[in-house]
Amino acid sequence: MAEKLFDLTGRVALVTGASSGFGVTFAHGLADAGADVVVAARRLERLEKTAEGVRERGRRCLVVQTDLTQPDQIENLVSRSMEEFGRLDILVNNAARGGMAMWMETTTLEEYRLIMDTNLTSVFLLTQRAGKEMLARGWGRIINISSVEGVQAAPEKDPSFGYCTAKHAMAGLTKETAKQWAKRGVTVNQIGPGFFHTELTDRFLSDPQMKAELAALAPMGRVGQPEELMGLLLLLASEASSYITGQTIMVDGGWSIW
Ligand SMILES: NC(=O)c1ccc[n+]([C@@H]2O[C@H](COP(=O)([O-])OP(=O)(O)OC[C@H]3O[C@@H](n4cnc5c(N)ncnc54)[C@H](OP(=O)(O)O)[C@@H]3O)[C@@H](O)[C@H]2O)c1
C-alpha cells in the first residue's frame, strides 16, 4: 500500500533547472520512483549529464534546451514533451536565478524584469501550458519551488529584493491556481527550502564564516542537503498527496518557526 502511494511508474515529469543543484536531484529522484523525465535549462551539456543519470535508472529522458525567459521556448518545451511521451503528469517549476536585483534603491527596471521573467513569468506560462495537458487527462501535480524568502524577508546578509518579490508572488499563483483546478484532478503546491549549498548560494555559502552564520538561522543549526527535499517532492508528485493543494511546505531545518 505505502509503496503504491508513492509509485510514479507510467508517469511523465518535467523538471526545469535540471542542469544543476536541486533540479538534478529531483530528476534522478523522480526516475528512482518510476517516472520518465523531461529536463530543461539553458546549459545543454549539463542537461545531458542529468539525462544520463535518469537513463541509468532505467527510465526514458528527453532533454530540451530551454531559456525560460522566452515564451516560444516554453511552448516548444511542452510540445516536444507531448510529442515524445503523449502526456505530462508532473511539473516541477524549479529553475530560478538570484544574485541580482538585490536592493530596492538600485534595482533597474531591466534587472527587475529579468528576475521576474525567470522566477515568476516562466512559472505562469509553464503552469498554464502544461496544466492544459494535465486538465485534459484529469490528473496532474504541479510543484513550485519557493524559498524561506517566499514567506519572509531575506536575512540581512542576503539582500534579495527581486528574488523575494518573485517568490512571494509565486505563492499567490500557487493558491489561486490550486483553487481554480481543485475539482479537476490537478494539485498545485510549493516546497519552501531554507539554505542549501548549490550554485545559487555558492557566492555566500563558500565562505565558512558566512555559512556558519546562515546555518545558525535554522534551529537545526545546519544547511540542508538537496536529498532532504526528495521525500516531500515525492509526496507532492504522487497519489499520496491527493487531498493536498495550494500549500507551501517548508524544508528549512525549522528556520520559519522562529
Ligand atoms: N539553494 C538554496 O539554498 C535554495 C533555497 C531556497 C530556494 N531555492 C530554490 O530552489 C530552486 C533551485 O535552485 P538551486 O539552488 O538548485 O540553484 P541552481 O543550482 O543555481 O539551479 C538553478 C537552475 O535554474 C536554471 N535556470 C536559471 N535561469 C534559467 C533560464 N533563463 N532558463 C532556463 N533555466 C534557467 C539553471 O540552469 P541554466 O543556467 O543551465 O539555464 C539551473 O539549472 C530555485 O527555484 C531556487 O530559488 C534554493
Side-chain angles (χ1 to χ4, degrees):
M1 165 80 175
E3 259 174 42
K4 244 188 156 184
L5 273 178
F6 295 92
D7 183 16
L8 300 181
T9 306
R11 301 282 187 208
V12 177
L14 192 170
V15 181
T16 66
S19 58
S20 68
F22 297 170
V24 178
T25 305
F26 292 161
H28 293 165
L30 290 163
D32 280 335
D36 293 324
V37 187
V38 182
V39 291
R42 292 166 302 180
R43 288 170 294 174
L44 189 56
E45 266 179 39
R46 298 280 292 268
L47 285 177
E48 292 291 358
K49 213 158 170 262
T50 306
E52 249 173 59
V54 171
R55 293 177 190 127
E56 277 164 12
R57 289 164 168 82
R59 308 312 316 171
R60 289 167 65 198
C61 190
L62 174 69
V63 171
V64 187
Q65 187 177 29
T66 307
D67 182 344
L68 290 163
T69 65
Q70 304 302 313
D72 58 329
Q73 295 192 30
I74 290 179
E75 172 56 37
N76 175 63
L77 169 61
V78 177
S79 51
R80 294 248 341 256
S81 306
M82 292 304 293
E83 275 160 35
E84 180 77 12
F85 294 111
R87 60 190 291 164
L88 264 181
D89 304 290
I90 300 156
L91 168 63
V92 187
N93 282 311
N94 166 69
R97 67 175 302 148
M100 59 175 297
M102 290 168 165
W103 300 98
M104 167 57 96
E105 281 174 278
T106 51
T107 295
T108 64
L109 180 58
E110 197 181 23
E111 289 166 338
Y112 176 83
R113 283 191 171 137
L114 180 56
I115 206 148
M116 290 298 157
D117 282 353
T118 312
N119 295 7
L120 183 65
T121 308
S122 70
V123 176
F124 154 58
L125 291 171
L126 206 43
T127 298
Q128 185 179 62
R129 182 62 184 88
K132 188 175 152 198
E133 305 298 343
M134 295 174 185
L135 291 167
R137 297 178 62 89
W139 198 95
R141 296 283 184 267
I142 297 174
I143 302 146
N144 296 328
I145 307 304
S146 181
S147 168
V148 278
E149 296 175 15
V151 293
Q152 61 195 63
E156 262 191 308
K157 298 227 159 169
D158 178 28
S160 302
F161 158 67
Y163 182 89
C164 211
T165 302
K167 293 293 188 189
H168 274 72
M170 199 167 76
L173 182 153
T174 297
K175 287 182 198 171
E176 184 60 20
T177 314
K179 184 198 73 186
Q180 292 184 15
W181 294 352
K183 293 190 174 73
R184 301 169 71 187
V186 178
T187 66
V188 191
N189 290 291
Q190 297 197 141
I191 295 176
F195 273 116
F196 292 67
H197 199 161
T198 63
E199 283 180 26
L200 184 77
T201 50
D202 190 58
R203 70 185 186 283
F204 38 82
L205 289 183
S206 54
D207 172 350
Q209 197 192 325
M210 194 128 160
K211 183 171 182 171
E213 283 175 34
L214 289 171
L217 292 173
M220 286 188 185
R222 64 175 177 85
V223 301
Q225 301 296 325
E227 299 70 32
E228 294 180 284
L229 296 165
M230 211 49 231
L232 179 57
L233 187 86
L234 285 183
L235 169 69
L236 297 178
S238 64
E239 202 47 45
S241 58
S242 54
Y243 200 51
I244 302 174
T245 200
Q247 302 303 306
T248 299
I249 304 175
M250 308 308 291
V251 183
D252 62 357
W255 180 341
S256 51
I257 60 179
W258 287 124

